[in-house]
Amino acid sequence: MNRRRVGETYEKKAGLFLERQGLVILCYNFRNRYGEIDVVALDGDVTVFVEVKYRRDAEKGEPEEAVDDRKRRRICRVADYYRMIHRMGDFSPVRFDVVAVCGDEVRWHRNAFDYIGR
């Protein structure tokens, strides 16, 4: 299986996990020229932008550690675009989460990072 298919498999697994926690999935793989957001969901009235990271095991580090400042900035830019095309105001509540899948374990980090302006 290629890396893209592996990623899609674990993004769907993360989405199912989040749905079991009460979130409503709006879309998977929202893309623009700046990058991609793996999952966009609603948690009540909060729009949640979710980065999903998978590792077979922790031998090369925990999956969460791969969400560095550069990745966070890219996610925020894509989120800005999402908010613009969906006519969300500047005061619409948003949150950035990370779902880490390591082997069979799923870890959900709510509010994993704050909005990073350009």
Side-chain angles (χ1 to χ4, degrees), residues 75-93:
I75 292 167
C76 288
R77 279 191 190 155
V78 179
D80 283 345
Y81 183 74
Y82 181 93
R83 293 172 59 218
M84 181 190 72
I85 66 171
H86 288 90
R87 301 179 189 269
M88 296 172 64
D90 289 340
F91 299 105
S92 298

Side-chain angles (χ1 to χ4, degrees), residues 9-95:
T9 298
Y10 287 97
E11 289 161 4
K12 296 290 185 197
K13 182 176 183 173
L16 292 171
F17 172 85
L18 293 170
E19 285 179 326
R20 287 193 299 270
Q21 306 306 313
L23 278 71
V24 176
I25 304 301
L26 298 176
C27 71
Y28 289 93
N29 305 114
F30 177 80
R31 292 184 177 119
N32 71 6
R33 67 187 182 116
Y34 296 114
E36 174 185 359
I37 294 175
D38 296 326
V39 180
V40 181
L42 275 179
D43 187 3
D45 65 341
V46 178
T47 302
V48 184
F49 300 101
V50 182
E51 176 67 10
V52 178
K53 286 296 179 187
Y54 165 74
R55 297 285 184 271
R56 186 178 3 202
D57 55 44
E59 183 177 313
K60 294 183 179 180
E62 299 294 338
E64 302 91 328
E65 295 170 352
V67 186
D68 59 11
D69 284 340
R70 182 173 174 238
K71 183 70 173 174
R72 291 177 185 144
R73 278 191 294 278
R74 182 174 294 143
I75 292 167
C76 288
R77 279 191 190 155
V78 179
D80 283 345
Y81 183 74
Y82 181 93
R83 293 172 59 218
M84 181 190 72
I85 66 171
H86 288 90
R87 301 179 189 269
M88 296 172 64
D90 289 340
F91 299 105
S92 298
V94 298
R95 189 175 77 220

Side-chain angles (χ1 to χ4, degrees), residues 96-107:
F96 298 91
D97 292 0
V98 173
V99 173
V101 182
C102 190
D104 291 329
E105 181 184 8
V106 178
R107 296 186 295 263

Side-chain angles (χ1 to χ4, degrees), residues 101-118:
V101 182
C102 190
D104 291 329
E105 181 184 8
V106 178
R107 296 186 295 263
W108 179 23
H109 301 278
R110 296 174 71 159
N111 205 27
F113 58 92
D114 292 325
Y115 171 78
I116 300 172
R118 297 176 202 198

